[in-house]
């Protein structure tokens, strides 16, 4: 049986702080590793043919979701998650951390890899904690740097009226350059003011939107919070290409478009 074989292999290959017991159709391994709130990281073993699968059954992912009101991870957080999986030689599948053991001798090291990966992924909590003081504009900056765009941030540009505007980013791609405003607020009452500011800025800079080296105007909405109505999107669409931060691939596609 997997219970007897697994527990014997783990007892022989790991410190006694790792404890295993039957848990339904799984063998549960209670590890000495802790989530940041002090709960133990538990792993679960089950057989698939001659293979023993070691997984957290998505507990780490669920724990992370409980620590934040944000429905999504930032691109930087996703990159950190992928890096943790690669470093420890585990797979991220449908929110679960998992790895496969092909022999009893191999099982302790596989359990250790999955536990260490879960611990490192749980540490993404610290990036959630700091998101309140790291603006979405900083996240966008990290994304643009990761994608190897040439970027000037908060460049001062004079409009036709003589007013000075500071788009969040002046992004240079091989095919064209773009001015990008990031629209972000947690308040419905402030949302209209934010989009009006961007509309006014792009209207005043409209002379840069024509000619052989015309700049593309892009409005990037931080749609993490449900504060934007259809009218806000329609207003921004009159003067710019509208993108959403929840769709970073689409944002990159717009910046690279000829």
């Amino acid at each position: 049986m997997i219970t007897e074989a697994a527990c014997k292999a783990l007892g022989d290959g790991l410190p006694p702080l790792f404890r295993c017991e039957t848990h339904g159709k799984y063998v549960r391994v209670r590890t000495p590793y802790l989530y940041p709130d002090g709960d133990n990281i538990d792993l679960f073993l089950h057989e698939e043919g001659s293979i023993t699968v070691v997984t957290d059954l998505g507990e780490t992912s669920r724990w992370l979701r409980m620590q934040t009101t944000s429905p999504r991870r930032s691109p930087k957080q996703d990159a950190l998650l992928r890096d943790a999986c690669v470093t420890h030689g585990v797979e991220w599948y449908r929110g679960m951390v998992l790895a496969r053991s092909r022999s009893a001798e191999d099982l302790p090291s596989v359990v250790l890899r999955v536990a260490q990966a879960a611990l490192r992924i749980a540490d993404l909590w610290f990036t959630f904690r700091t998101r309140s003081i790291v603006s979405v504009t900083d996240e966008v900056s990290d994304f643009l740097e990761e994608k190897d765009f040439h970027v000037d941030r908060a460049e001062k540009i004079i409009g036709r009226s003589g007013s000075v505007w500071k788009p969040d980013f002046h992004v240079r791609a091989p095919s064209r350059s773009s001015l990008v405003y990031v629209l972000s607020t947690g308040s419905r009452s402030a949302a209209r003011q934010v989009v009006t500011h961007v509309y006014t800025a792009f209207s005043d800079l409209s002379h840069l939107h024509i000619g052989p080296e015309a700049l593309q105007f892009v409005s990037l909405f931080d749609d993490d919070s449900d504060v934007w109505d259809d009218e806000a999107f329609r207003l921004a669409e009159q003067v710019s290409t509208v993108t959403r931060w929840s769709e970073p691939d689409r944002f990159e596609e717009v910046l690279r478009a000829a």
Side-chain angles (χ1 to χ4, degrees):
M1 292 177 60
I2 184 176
T3 305
E4 296 175 359
C7 289
K8 183 178 186 308
L10 295 178
D12 292 342
L14 290 174
L17 290 175
F18 287 81
R19 304 194 309 274
C20 68
E21 60 185 14
T22 302
H23 186 76
K25 63 179 181 179
Y26 298 95
V27 170
R28 181 173 68 185
V29 179
R30 172 141 294 183
T31 78
Y33 296 104
L34 304 175
Y35 291 116
D37 65 354
D39 287 344
N40 287 87
I41 294 177
D42 289 340
L43 304 182
F44 301 87
L45 283 57
H46 70 279
E47 288 184 340
E48 293 184 359
S50 61
I51 304 296
T52 300
V53 178
V54 182
T55 174
D56 71 340
L57 288 181
E59 289 299 324
T60 305
S61 180
R62 280 190 286 273
W63 185 89
L64 276 176
R65 286 199 301 271
M66 292 173 63
Q67 312 309 312
T68 176
T69 59
S70 174
R72 60 183 174 85
R73 294 181 298 269
S74 72
K76 186 172 184 179
Q77 289 163 346
D78 278 331
L80 291 171
L81 188 153
R82 291 193 300 270
D83 182 62
C85 291
V86 170
T87 298
H88 294 288
V90 302
E91 182 179 352
W92 178 262
Y93 177 71
R94 294 185 176 179
M96 295 184 292
V97 184
L98 65 86
R100 298 166 180 84
S101 172
R102 292 169 172 81
S103 69
E105 294 77 13
D106 186 43
L107 184 59
S109 65
V110 174
V111 167
L112 197 59
R113 291 204 326 262
V114 175
Q116 290 173 336
L119 177 65
R120 184 166 173 186
I121 290 169
D123 283 344
L124 289 176
W125 174 67
F126 295 105
T127 69
F128 291 154
R129 290 184 68 200
T130 58
R131 192 178 190 277
S132 61
I133 60 174
V134 177
S135 71
V136 68
T137 308
D138 294 321
E139 294 180 4
V140 175
S141 180
D142 290 341
F143 174 81
L144 294 172
E145 180 180 352
E146 177 186 336
K147 298 299 181 179
D148 293 324
F149 284 105
H150 299 285
V151 178
D152 285 333
R153 188 165 176 177
E155 177 183 5
K156 294 180 180 179
I157 304 177
I158 299 176
R160 292 182 302 168
S161 68
S163 298
V164 176
W165 302 97
K166 293 195 296 183
D168 293 298
F169 302 100
H170 186 169
V171 182
R172 292 175 176 84
S175 57
R176 70 188 306 180
S177 294
S178 304
L179 297 181
V180 179
Y181 268 105
V182 178
L183 294 83
S184 180
T185 179
S187 168
R188 284 183 177 274
S189 60
R192 179 67 180 185
Q193 182 179 354
V194 171
V195 73
T196 298
H197 172 80
V198 172
Y199 176 86
T200 303
F202 278 147
S203 297
D204 199 28
L205 296 171
S206 60
H207 59 289
L208 302 176
H209 198 43
I210 56 176
E213 293 296 332
L215 295 176
Q216 177 178 217
F217 293 167
V218 179
S219 294
L220 177 61
F221 282 83
D222 174 20
D223 52 346
D224 189 40
S225 300
D226 185 22
V227 298
W228 308 106
D229 56 22
D230 291 340
E231 186 177 352
F233 291 113
R234 286 196 298 268
L235 187 61
E237 284 172 349
Q238 294 179 29
V239 292
S240 63
T241 300
V242 169
T243 58
R244 301 170 185 251
W245 187 223
S246 62
E247 302 173 350
D249 290 344
R250 169 60 181 162
F251 175 50
E252 180 183 3
E253 179 183 316
V254 167
L255 295 177
R256 295 194 188 278

